[in-house]
Amino acid sequence: MKILIADDHPFTLQGTKSYLESFGYKVFDTCSNGISALNLITLHHPDVAVLDINMPGLDGLDVAKKVQESKLSTKVILLTMHKEMTIYKKAQQYNIYGYILKEHAQEELEKCMLEVKKGNRYVSTHLQDDLINDHKNDGSQLSQLTLAERKIVGLIAQQKTSKQIAELLFLSTKTVEGHRTNIIEKLGLPKEKNTLLMWALQHVKKE
């Protein structure tokens, strides 16, 4: 099996390479961004590509999408910190073969490789637990909000201003204000000053 690994964190990249090689797998190339990963996949057709989601250029989901669209034979495994349902569902649409959380990679990456080698798919058991919990909470008001809106509510609960939230999420202040208005409408809150802040302080769990 020829394997490509792409991750923009040098330690994770080297660690993943060493880990796979310790099980006898051949890592033919590594890179630190999505554009290089896609070029190498297109040129060399590795059997498996282990990709981070957050990367410069193209992210792991972009690469998976392009591999699918180009009908390339490379099987994509995403090695990520993302547990969000929306990101996982998007990954499924792009025909990925593995979805593993970085925090559990040491116990799960080898299992995933063995399954993918057989032509099966592998999803982190820890992620499945999180997704089940997500279903249980479907009745809550937070579940009505999009991923972006939930992030904003979380930052409001930390008493960040719209300007600070905009800087943290790489958005314009106007966009954040638009989100706040939508969130207030979705939650059916009174249009009063600090209404969203008061709601967020009561309903958002502190980490």
Side-chain angles (χ1 to χ4, degrees), residues 20 33 37 39-40 45 58 63 67-69 72 81 92 107 112 115 142 152 156 159 164 168 175 178 193 201:
L20 288 173
N33 67 75
N39 288 340
L40 289 166
H45 302 283
L58 297 170
V63 176
V67 166
Q68 184 192 39
E69 286 171 351
L72 299 170
M81 291 163 65
Q92 281 187 311
E107 63 182 270
C112 178
E115 287 303 315
L142 270 175
I152 288 169
I156 290 169
Q159 304 195 35
Q164 289 170 323
L168 286 164
T175 301
K193 194 180 179 189
L201 289 171

Side-chain angles (χ1 to χ4, degrees), residues 81-85 101 103-104 124-137:
M81 291 163 65
H82 287 285
K83 300 178 186 179
E84 294 93 337
M85 173 78 88
L101 299 174
E103 61 195 281
H104 303 294
S124 169
T125 52
H126 299 278
L127 182 77
Q128 286 172 331
D129 291 341
D130 285 348
L131 293 179
I132 290 164
N133 290 336
D134 199 276
H135 284 309
K136 283 178 188 166
N137 295 332

Side-chain angles (χ1 to χ4, degrees), residues 7-23:
D7 196 302
D8 64 338
H9 292 92
F11 288 113
T12 309
L13 188 64
Q14 195 51 49
T16 307
K17 182 175 185 286
S18 301
Y19 180 82
L20 288 173
E21 286 176 342
S22 74
F23 289 102

